[in-house]
Amino acid sequence: MKVTRIHIKDYLNFKNEFEIDLRYPSDHPDRSKAGKPLEKICFIGPSGTGKTTLLNIIKFFSFENKINPDCLNQDQLKDGNVGVHFLIGNSYKCSKWSIGFKGNEKEKIEAQPDVELNYIGENGLDSKDCKKYIEQHFFKSSNVKLVSFPYDAIRNFYSLTDLSNSNYLSGITKPEDEKKDVNLIRQEYLEKKVWDFSNDNINWIWKIFEDIVEEYKPNYLRELNKFLSKSKEDDKNHQKYFDDFKEWEIQNKNPLDEHSQKLDVVLNKFNLKVDTTIVQEKVEKKFPIIRQVNNKDEVPKSFLSTGTVQLLVTTLPLSVLNIDKAIILIDEPERSLYPDTQLGLISLYTSYAKDSQVFFATHSPIIASAFDPSERIILYFNDEGKIDFKRGDSPEGDDPNDLLYRDFGMHNIFEKKGEDAYKRYIELKTLIHSEKNKEKQEELMVEYLEIARIYRFGKSNEKNT
């Protein structure tokens, strides 16, 4: 399922009526994408323009019966004022629309009703049958269909000290459940279609990953010891036994490998890496272990930087969960990350979610530069003070400074002191040319060159003023 359009009229700060088309334009240079739903989307705009609101609308309207309705302002949902259009599979089109409250004001105060949506679909199906059709054709898959990360996804990470009552094991509530295999309980838990980490605890995923590695460990040790024992007894066939062991490793993948290969691309910028060694000394259930690249010292989780934790807690679920044709929502992926670490971040996230539609909300021009201009939805306040939107202008991969000017609309990126220096720099240009006194002209030139040296003013700066 992919979102193709969002319609909003008079909801929260969105006072204008407009529709955001989330498809590639028909004249897109890549003809294979033309007219199809956007693969990745970036919402940018000043604070208060509704970036997170759009993520919440997408989240709720996609899977309303599995999402906490508190992510929406239910009082402002009216009949038909919010609608989201979807493409399910390769051809089935439908839309879901707000209904609004259907009762008197007294009932509304005493008991807030569940939010209902009106379905409009192809094949002439009414709302009830359309909803049933979607559930039968979309939810029959066991794969995860939505993962949503709020901007503060790391908020419960540091409570890792006691996960003895992890969520998937807490499913053992009746005597007969105690006979259930832990793997079965975990599998049932992982078959949830929707993961909203505004409510779900990311630490449960971390616990599952640790358990998966721990369960792999004895099998790995068994095969390793078998190889070592046979090689010791029959040294002439050492290579054969080694090849057998390597073949076993190929057939039984180390659960740390795939995650580390992707994550290390970014972690290396922190001088860190994931340790994929299964046999660790003095280690008990705390995978993945993060080490420094140079001296290989372990970095305890409690000493990891906020940016590193942000990366780990948002990529680990994407690695562990069985995601297919899903909607992924990530609010402020750049949070606590140094600019150089933001480079390549979007590629990292999308590599975990093949054939999915990934939405980001960001304030970072570096993050925004990773998107095709048609994938950038730029929210802004128009002359009437109402929220409007436009597409991006800068090409994908453009200098983030160009995005500040062209897409973020920042025609002046100087603080007051820098702005005053630039004005003086421009003024000196004129004074130098008009000054007749040679000695005075040289003094002005010295001042001009000193300002240019300190601020590195030049032609590249003039376009940003």
Side-chain angles (χ1 to χ4, degrees):
M1 181 164 73
K2 293 186 177 178
V3 181
T4 58
R5 283 178 289 161
I6 300 173
H7 178 95
I8 304 177
K9 178 185 179 182
D10 194 20
Y11 174 72
L12 294 178
N13 291 343
F14 294 95
K15 301 306 178 185
N16 283 356
E17 179 174 9
F18 60 76
E19 193 168 79
I20 302 174
D21 193 336
L22 296 174
R23 295 171 294 182
Y24 290 101
S26 57
D27 59 351
H28 193 275
D30 184 344
R31 301 306 301 162
S32 66
K33 292 183 176 181
K36 293 182 178 179
L38 298 175
E39 296 168 357
K40 61 184 191 298
I41 299 93
C42 175
F43 295 125
I44 66 176
S47 296
T49 50
K51 299 182 293 298
T52 300
T53 297
L54 288 173
L55 295 183
N56 284 334
I57 286 173
I58 292 166
K59 177 171 67 174
F60 186 83
F61 276 66
S62 300
F63 300 95
E64 75 279 5
N65 60 334
K66 301 178 185 296
I67 299 294
N68 185 341
D70 289 343
C71 68
L72 300 177
N73 186 322
Q74 299 173 42
D75 290 336
Q76 294 204 21
L77 285 176
K78 304 169 186 174
D79 195 2
N81 71 326
V82 180
V84 180
H85 301 251
F86 300 94
L87 178 66
I88 298 176
N90 295 319
S91 58
Y92 189 75
K93 300 173 184 177
C94 73
S95 60
K96 302 180 186 181
W97 295 84
S98 56
I99 295 176
F101 182 72
K102 302 293 186 182
N104 61 48
E105 287 302 314
K106 184 178 179 181
E107 290 173 342
K108 186 174 182 180
I109 293 170
E110 291 178 351
Q112 184 69 34
D114 291 334
V115 177
E116 294 183 31
L117 301 178
N118 182 41
Y119 286 61
I120 299 176
E122 293 183 328
N123 305 340
L125 299 178
D126 63 20
S127 182
K128 182 178 179 180
D129 288 338
C130 180
K131 182 176 182 179
K132 185 176 179 181
Y133 177 88
I134 293 170
E135 289 177 346
Q136 288 176 342
H137 288 76
F138 190 64
F139 285 111
K140 64 180 181 181
S141 166
S142 62
N143 301 103
V144 171
K145 295 303 181 184
L146 182 136
V147 183
S148 175
F149 296 103
Y151 74 93
D152 59 345
I154 70 170
R155 66 191 180 282
N156 53 26
F157 174 81
Y158 296 104
S159 62
L160 278 167
T161 51
D162 182 14
L163 284 178
S164 56
N165 294 318
S166 77
N167 190 64
Y168 75 92
L169 290 180
S170 66
I172 302 176
T173 56
K174 295 177 285 188
E176 58 267 30
D177 288 338
E178 293 181 2
K179 297 179 182 179
K180 276 188 178 180
D181 182 73
V182 170
N183 289 324
L184 176 61
I185 297 170
R186 180 170 64 221
Q187 189 56 42
E188 290 174 352
Y189 179 63
L190 288 175
E191 285 177 357
K192 283 177 54 174
K193 303 294 189 301
V194 172
W195 294 81
D196 178 9
F197 290 107
S198 298
N199 301 299
D200 291 315
N201 191 328
I202 281 180
N203 290 336
W204 296 330
I205 299 294
W206 194 281
K207 175 78 163 58
I208 287 173
F209 189 73
E210 289 179 348
D211 287 354
I212 289 171
V213 177
E214 280 295 325
E215 288 165 12
Y216 176 82
K217 186 175 176 180
N219 296 326
Y220 174 85
L221 288 173
R222 184 192 65 236
E223 294 299 320
L224 177 61
N225 289 330
K226 187 190 298 184
F227 155 65
L228 293 174
S229 177
K230 287 184 176 180
S231 294
K232 185 177 180 180
E233 294 172 2
D234 185 9
D235 183 57
K236 291 181 180 179
N237 288 309
H238 169 85
Q239 188 60 48
K240 175 185 178 304
Y241 301 135
F242 179 77
D243 291 342
D244 289 344
F245 176 64
K246 288 299 174 185
E247 180 63 27
W248 182 91
E249 283 190 307
I250 292 171
Q251 298 298 323
N252 300 269
K253 293 186 183 297
N254 178 347
L256 290 165
D257 280 343
E258 184 177 0
H259 190 66
S260 67
Q261 288 170 7
K262 294 177 179 178
L263 193 57
D264 278 353
V265 174
V266 178
L267 281 180
N268 286 169
K269 297 177 183 179
F270 298 113
N271 193 37
L272 298 172
K273 65 178 181 179
V274 176
D275 189 344
T276 60
T277 307
I278 290 297
V279 184
Q280 300 280 353
E281 293 182 8
K282 299 177 182 178
V283 168
E284 260 186 64
K285 287 197 176 186
K286 57 175 187 174
F287 292 102
I289 295 167
I290 308 299
R291 296 191 182 278
Q292 293 185 1
V293 171
N294 296 336
N295 57 26
K296 298 183 180 179
D297 286 347
E298 180 185 348
V299 182
K301 291 186 178 69
S302 58
F303 288 92
L304 290 170
S305 72
T306 307
T308 308
V309 172
Q310 170 82 0
L311 267 177
L312 289 172
V313 300
T314 53
T315 56
L316 194 66
L318 298 179
S319 177
V320 172
L321 299 173
N322 187 19
I323 297 169
D324 179 52
K325 298 180 177 63
I327 292 174
I328 315 293
L329 306 167
I330 304 176
D331 200 353
E332 296 188 28
E334 74 277 10
R335 192 171 174 84
S336 301
L337 293 177
Y338 197 69
D340 74 325
T341 315
Q342 296 176 32
L343 293 169
L345 195 58
I346 300 306
S347 295
L348 173 68
Y349 282 121
T350 55
S351 71
Y352 284 109
K354 299 293 185 184
D355 201 21
S356 293
Q357 192 177 35
V358 193
F359 291 84
F360 300 87
T362 185
H363 293 283
S364 169
I366 297 176
I367 295 294
S369 69
F371 293 80
D372 179 307
S374 62
E375 296 170 335
R376 283 185 222 117
I377 305 300
I378 303 167
L379 301 158
Y380 66 95
F381 293 106
N382 62 22
D383 293 339
E384 298 177 352
K386 296 178 180 179
I387 297 172
D388 214 330
F389 78 97
K390 61 183 178 180
R391 299 281 181 172
D393 182 46
S394 287
E396 183 174 354
D398 197 8
D399 182 341
N401 289 301
D402 288 342
L403 263 82
L404 282 174
Y405 179 71
R406 297 171 64 176
D407 285 0
F408 283 67
M410 294 189 66
H411 293 184
N412 182 0
I413 58 174
F414 294 122
E415 287 285 358
K416 180 67 168 57
K417 192 169 183 178
E419 185 178 2
D420 290 343
Y422 188 73
K423 287 178 180 177
R424 178 60 176 166
Y425 171 78
I426 297 298
E427 180 185 30
L428 285 167
K429 275 188 176 183
T430 304
L431 292 175
I432 289 168
H433 286 293
S434 61
E435 181 59 55
K436 303 301 182 184
N437 184 298
K438 197 73 173 173
E439 187 175 333
K440 181 64 176 175
Q441 189 181 53
E442 287 179 1
E443 289 177 6
L444 294 171
M445 178 60 75
V446 168
E447 184 185 356
Y448 172 82
L449 292 174
E450 181 64 7
I451 293 175
R453 181 190 68 79
I454 293 173
Y455 287 93
R456 298 191 177 187
F457 285 146
K459 291 184 178 179
S460 63
N461 296 89
E462 293 177 9
K463 68 181 179 182
N464 291 331
T465 61

